[in-house]
Amino acid sequence: MSSGLGESMRAERIAAWEEALPSYLRLAYLPNPGAVRLRLSAYEVEGGAAEREIERQFEALRRLIPRYVVGYETASMQELVHRMLTERGATLATAESCTGGTLAAKFTAQAGASAYFLAGAVAYGNEAKRSMLDVPAATLERWGAVSEQTARAMAEGIRRRTGADYAVATTGIAGPAGGTESTPVGTVWIAVAAPRGTTAVLRQCGTDRGQIIDRAAAFALALLRDALSPEQYPER
């Protein structure tokens, strides 16, 4: 939490620090009466290491604006999304390709997930995407499995089939083989289908298979969080 410094001036003071943040950390500005909360969210790429990195980064921030930092706290993206879904009574379904069920496992590992988590589909092959998620054959033939169009169709398909309020989908190349010059290993399309519509983003998630899966799941959680709070996190 910071206080006493205008938001635009604060952003200028910490711009270089924010730009240098690791790819698995994201800063959000949350205005409050008399203060602005700077929330640094970790995508849980490396578990406890992410929490230590948050603490290190906030110490660096404290040195940049020492007079204006009131205090800080940590919270994982996974816990945040879990809480948002629970509090709103919204339901969720997942459709995964390259992440192979990682997203579904993250949600169902948390106590109380049965209140909102309806189903998770791992549709690895194209035939499974067609039969399980209703991805049109023409979409796969024209755009390929790793594309914005397929990611959107996957999210919309699982949402329609399950009746969930929200659905998140991932499709990409986790490697080590399968990449091309135009679509290298680590390319992942992520989509969230929500009551307000469907949003899709392209992310490059590294070159190591395990890292790609973890990062893709983390980015998917962040995109779902954005969809749950569009007033705070406008579509990107």
Side-chain angles (χ1 to χ4, degrees):
M1 184 77 74
S2 63
S3 179
L5 185 64
E7 185 172 343
S8 61
M9 186 178 298
R10 182 184 300 106
E12 293 176 4
R13 292 276 291 274
I14 67 174
W17 169 84
E18 184 178 356
E19 291 175 1
L21 287 172
S23 60
Y24 58 88
L25 296 181
R26 183 178 175 193
L27 183 69
Y29 292 77
L30 308 177
N32 289 274
V36 173
R37 183 183 179 198
L38 303 179
R39 183 171 64 204
L40 193 57
S41 301
Y43 297 165
E44 299 185 324
V45 175
E46 298 177 5
E51 183 175 345
R52 291 191 294 273
E53 181 63 18
I54 285 179
E55 295 174 352
R56 190 183 75 80
Q57 291 293 344
F58 266 115
E59 284 304 317
L61 178 63
R62 191 188 297 275
R63 290 192 293 271
L64 285 173
I65 50 174
R67 295 177 54 194
Y68 305 106
V69 175
V70 178
Y72 66 86
E73 60 182 347
T74 59
S76 72
M77 183 71 71
Q78 184 174 331
E79 293 168 344
L80 175 62
V81 172
H82 173 83
R83 184 170 67 250
M84 294 170 77
L85 287 165
T86 302
E87 291 176 349
R88 298 180 186 194
T91 53
L92 174 70
T94 58
E96 302 179 67
S97 183
C98 62
T99 49
T102 299
L103 274 174
K106 283 182 176 292
F107 286 111
T108 57
Q110 299 182 92
S114 60
Y116 62 82
F117 191 80
L118 300 185
V122 178
Y124 218 63
N126 283 356
E127 179 55 39
K129 291 179 176 65
R130 288 193 292 266
S131 62
M132 296 170 62
L133 304 173
D134 300 325
V135 177
T139 297
L140 291 164
E141 291 170 5
R142 180 175 181 182
W143 303 106
V146 183
S147 64
E148 176 181 1
Q149 292 79 6
T150 295
R152 286 176 175 270
M154 290 172 64
E156 291 167 358
I158 194 70
R159 181 172 183 260
R160 184 170 54 250
R161 285 210 167 199
T162 62
D165 297 309
Y166 294 85
V168 57
T170 61
T171 181
I173 302 175
T180 65
E181 184 175 348
S182 59
T183 311
V185 169
T187 301
V188 180
W189 276 99
I190 302 162
V192 170
R196 291 169 49 132
T198 303
T199 302
V201 296
L202 174 64
R203 294 288 181 260
Q204 293 297 327
C205 299
T207 56
D208 174 77
R209 185 177 179 85
Q211 180 187 67
I212 291 166
I213 292 172
D214 285 344
R215 287 187 174 180
F219 285 129
L221 283 170
L223 188 63
L224 178 57
R225 185 279 311 272
D226 294 356
L228 285 163
S229 290
E231 69 281 0
Q232 290 184 359
Y233 309 100
E235 293 180 2
R236 292 161 292 148

